[in-house]
Amino acid sequence: MNEVGNVWTRRGFVKALSALSIAGNSILKINAADSSKESWGRDSGNELAERGNQNYEPWRQSAAWQARVLPRFPDVLVRPDQVRSIPDILENASRRGKVISIKSGGHNVSEAFLRDGSVLLDLGELQDIDVDPVSQTAWIQPAAWSYSLVNVLARYGFAFPVSHCASVPMGGYLLGGGIGYNHDNWGTVASDLVLAVEVVLADGQTVVATRDKHSDLFWAARGAGIGFFGVITRFKIKLVSAPPTVIESSYVFPLSALADATTMLQDWVSLSPADTELMMLLAHDPTIDKAARGIETKMCVVRAVTFAEEQAARATLNSLANHPAIKHAVFDNRNVTTSLESMQIASVDPGMGLGYGRYAVDTIWTDKLPQVMNMILNHFSNTNSARTHIVVSPKQNRELSSDSSFSMVGNAFVGVYAVWDDPLQDISTDKWMDGVRKLIHPLSVGQYINEVDAFNNPESVQNCFTLEAWKKLRALKKIYDPNKFFADYPDITG
Ligand SMILES: Cc1cc2nc3c(=O)[nH]c(=O)nc-3n(C[C@H](O)[C@H](O)[C@H](O)COP(=O)(O)OP(=O)(O)OC[C@H]3O[C@@H](n4cnc5c(N)ncnc54)[C@H](O)[C@@H]3O)c2cc1C
């Protein structure tokens, strides 16, 4: 059964956000009339803008999810309306000696899809979700949103470990691994549930890679992230049964009790079954009057979400509630029944003010969480934006698949997300992020390819892979893309 995945399209979503008075990028209907699209393929459905066309800059601006659009300028932007146009577009780009950069949803923090002089293949219209309830699988196109997938699958009683944020599309997310809901139970990362990828290669040929066919391409497509060497047009994914209930408990601590909260989070890891997702958030308390003095305006939330039978879920949450550190919590919200759909909607709740805006990220895997939190505490208190936040996610299941290039994991994931609005704060925020890096990187075991600033810190790319996986990725690049037709990881030689 084929469904158009855009239950909420990106444009519809941005409109909805605007209605909520959240600043966003303006998305314009592209008028291709002033472009030379005839020279770019037979398909009249393609939209196109060359640099200098009046529709170019609005399109480039709207390609990025965030408000800080980096000054990198493709020569041409092309949006195919169907997959069969892609080989033609590649052929045209190749004839003109252009490199291809690819965008599914534009969420990548380093905006790796924006490459000077490239042809940007914008796959934003490819959002179909095609569910086969009998085999419990689905074919999904790369721009299908997390929210759309959750919504469509719910109708069939299925689920998938989508991203924690509604607008994240499946393309870049799965290509880099994907750390989503219930990640310790539904695979180690979401790409563990990818059964096949349909890829258009540099020579225009389309292949379907699986564990048995084109297995090295299949290996690469599950973890390589922004350095992948082909256009992924569809993923075949294995679906999981929808959880019988989703129940969560949250405990809010003042930031001064961060050490206690961290101890509780770590103790919970050994107390929780794998179908419990644990998380800690350091954020500005949205309920506090920002002008008030003498009170803490930053908080730390420790949260457990269970995806299990109701009785077992409640038993888990009740046992976690016995932890002695809970006496330091100033507020709690226990045993609240929720759902994947509700959590997706809450992920864009303007009340917390965490989303949209200008955005910089650094992430690490660490085996030394208490030390990292200790290092970060003062630095976090000095952030220049009340929207900046830090997410900590312990990784209970660290079993990595041997047929996947996703190869780096640690005991805990720490993501530092600077979010601000004023362009005049760009420099000071970048400096603040550099300060974070200096503090936490010596305590890291690796990084996560989907959330590194690969252009400002190109060395971070290799930190996302074991040496063995890295060497294999570089060797495969030479085989599948010897002329470097597809944009590579930044600043890479060889
Ligand atoms: C608000 C927000 C919430 C997030 N939450 C999570 C989360 O919960 N868990 C998590 O794991 N990550 C999360 N992320 C990170 C997210 O996984 C990455 O940003 C990911 O790259 C987004 O995918 P995309 O399709 O938007 O990628 P894009 O930005 O469109 O593309 C990034 C790069 O991936 C490659 N690429 C993309 N599509 C294709 C394709 N079809 N074929 C070949 N190459 C392609 C290209 O090299 C491209 O430059 C979040 C990001 C944001 C902004």
Side-chain angles (χ1 to χ4, degrees):
M1 268 161 263
N2 188 277
E3 315 226 11
V4 176
N6 53 354
V7 180
W8 281 10
T9 62
R10 178 183 157 86
R11 288 163 215 206
F13 185 69
V14 170
K15 247 196 220 156
L17 285 180
S18 308
L20 290 168
S21 307
I22 295 176
N25 301 335
S26 63
I27 310 290
L28 302 182
K29 176 76 191 140
I30 304 302
N31 172 11
D34 61 347
S35 68
S36 53
K37 85 177 160 178
E38 287 73 21
S39 63
W40 274 87
R42 286 160 270 157
D43 207 304
S44 58
N46 296 341
E47 289 178 294
L48 189 133
E50 287 173 333
R51 206 167 169 193
N53 291 160
Q54 69 177 43
N55 54 346
Y56 174 91
E57 190 51 19
W59 183 345
R60 196 189 72 87
Q61 290 283 333
S62 68
W65 167 82
Q66 65 153 312
R68 177 155 77 158
V69 182
L70 296 166
R72 283 184 240 119
F73 297 87
D75 278 356
V76 184
L77 316 176
V78 195
R79 183 186 288 134
D81 70 335
Q82 50 190 325
V83 170
R84 73 181 171 89
S85 310
I86 292 173
D88 271 354
I89 295 168
L90 298 191
E91 194 194 321
N92 274 291
S94 169
R95 241 187 297 119
R96 288 163 165 82
K98 303 282 180 205
V99 164
I100 290 280
S101 57
I102 304 164
K103 176 193 89 84
S104 289
H107 280 55
N108 181 260
V109 66
S110 53
E111 293 165 13
F113 47 88
L114 292 179
R115 303 292 181 117
D116 286 330
S118 70
V119 170
L120 169 58
L121 186 62
D122 182 341
L123 304 177
E125 293 297 304
L126 305 183
Q127 302 189 9
D128 282 2
I129 296 169
D130 186 0
V131 180
D132 178 358
V134 177
S135 63
Q136 208 166 318
T137 59
W139 280 100
I140 55 173
Q141 288 189 318
W145 286 28
S146 292
Y147 179 79
S148 307
L149 188 60
V150 164
N151 212 278
V152 169
L153 295 184
R155 291 182 221 150
Y156 297 91
F158 296 136
F160 188 77
V162 299
S163 123
H164 298 88
C165 191
S167 65
V168 175
M170 302 311 290
Y173 173 74
L174 287 177
L175 188 52
I179 304 164
Y181 290 139
N182 201 7
H183 51 84
D184 283 322
N185 197 29
W186 293 338
T188 305
V189 283
S191 63
D192 287 349
L193 299 184
V194 171
L195 301 173
V197 280
E198 183 182 79
V199 188
V200 186
L201 298 173
D203 61 4
Q205 188 198 162
T206 299
V207 299
V208 174
T210 65
R211 241 171 221 121
D212 306 317
K213 245 172 111 182
H214 305 288
S215 56
D216 47 4
L217 198 60
F218 180 70
W219 174 88
R222 304 192 311 150
I226 61 173
F228 187 65
F229 27 80
V231 185
I232 300 187
T233 48
R234 284 198 301 169
F235 298 86
K236 185 180 185 183
I237 55 171
K238 185 170 169 338
L239 306 175
V240 296
S241 299
T245 57
V246 184
I247 309 181
E248 64 170 278
S249 290
S250 310
Y251 298 87
V252 180
F253 296 82
L255 207 59
S256 50
L258 179 62
D260 297 297
T262 306
T263 303
M264 182 170 99
L265 181 76
Q266 290 204 298
D267 291 346
W268 275 8
V269 170
S270 50
L271 296 170
S272 307
D275 55 14
T276 309
E277 190 182 338
L278 304 175
M279 191 185 278
M280 181 161 80
L281 172 74
L282 275 57
H284 190 274
D285 183 341
T287 64
I288 284 179
D289 174 1
K290 294 185 178 67
R293 282 162 188 251
I295 49 170
E296 283 197 47
T297 58
K298 294 205 164 41
M299 63 179 187
C300 164
V301 185
V302 182
R303 181 173 174 230
V305 186
T306 51
F307 300 80
E309 292 289 349
E310 183 165 358
Q311 214 182 344
R314 289 187 188 280
T316 299
L317 293 175
N318 289 338
S319 77
L320 298 182
N322 292 326
H323 196 281
I326 280 176
K327 63 175 180 289
H328 300 293
V330 289
F331 178 76
D332 64 54
N333 208 4
R334 298 186 191 198
N335 295 0
V336 179
T337 301
T338 178
S339 66
L340 294 175
E341 292 100 311
S342 307
M343 289 195 295
Q344 287 277 284
I345 290 167
S347 72
V348 291
D349 182 351
M352 286 293 283
L354 302 179
Y356 251 70
R358 306 174 86 77
Y359 186 70
V361 177
D362 193 39
T363 55
I364 58 162
W365 290 108
T366 184
D367 293 339
K368 295 179 177 159
L369 186 61
Q371 291 93 319
V372 170
M373 289 295 107
N374 189 35
M375 288 301 234
I376 247 172
L377 179 60
N378 278 339
H379 199 70
F380 178 63
S381 300
N382 295 333
T383 163
N384 63 3
S385 168
R387 301 174 65 198
T388 290
H389 55 282
I390 295 175
V391 173
V392 177
S393 183
K395 196 84 189 96
Q396 290 152 268
N397 175 5
R398 298 179 49 175
E399 206 176 304
L400 293 171
S401 161
S402 60
D403 56 9
S404 145
S405 51
F406 183 93
S407 51
M408 187 54 72
V409 81
N411 279 340
F413 172 85
V414 180
V416 181
Y417 303 88
V419 187
W420 70 106
D421 294 310
D422 184 352
L424 292 174
Q425 287 183 355
D426 287 0
I427 292 174
S428 59
T429 310
D430 287 341
K431 246 193 189 159
W432 184 86
M433 285 301 290
D434 281 343
V436 170
R437 261 179 220 109
K438 284 196 186 100
L439 287 174
I440 66 176
H441 278 232
L443 298 166
S444 85
V445 293
Q447 292 187 263
Y448 174 40
I449 190 67
N450 272 350
E451 298 197 297
V452 290
D453 184 352
F455 284 79
N456 287 326
N457 303 282
E459 74 287 352
S460 57
V461 167
Q462 207 177 323
N463 294 341
C464 301
F465 305 94
T466 59
L467 188 57
E468 191 188 358
W470 177 248
K471 283 183 179 162
K472 185 168 168 182
L473 275 174
R474 298 317 295 159
L476 290 176
K477 170 81 176 172
K478 286 193 179 120
I479 295 169
Y480 281 97
D481 187 18
N483 300 320
K484 298 202 166 181
F485 181 43
F486 293 109
D488 206 346
Y489 299 113
D491 279 353
I492 286 291
T493 45

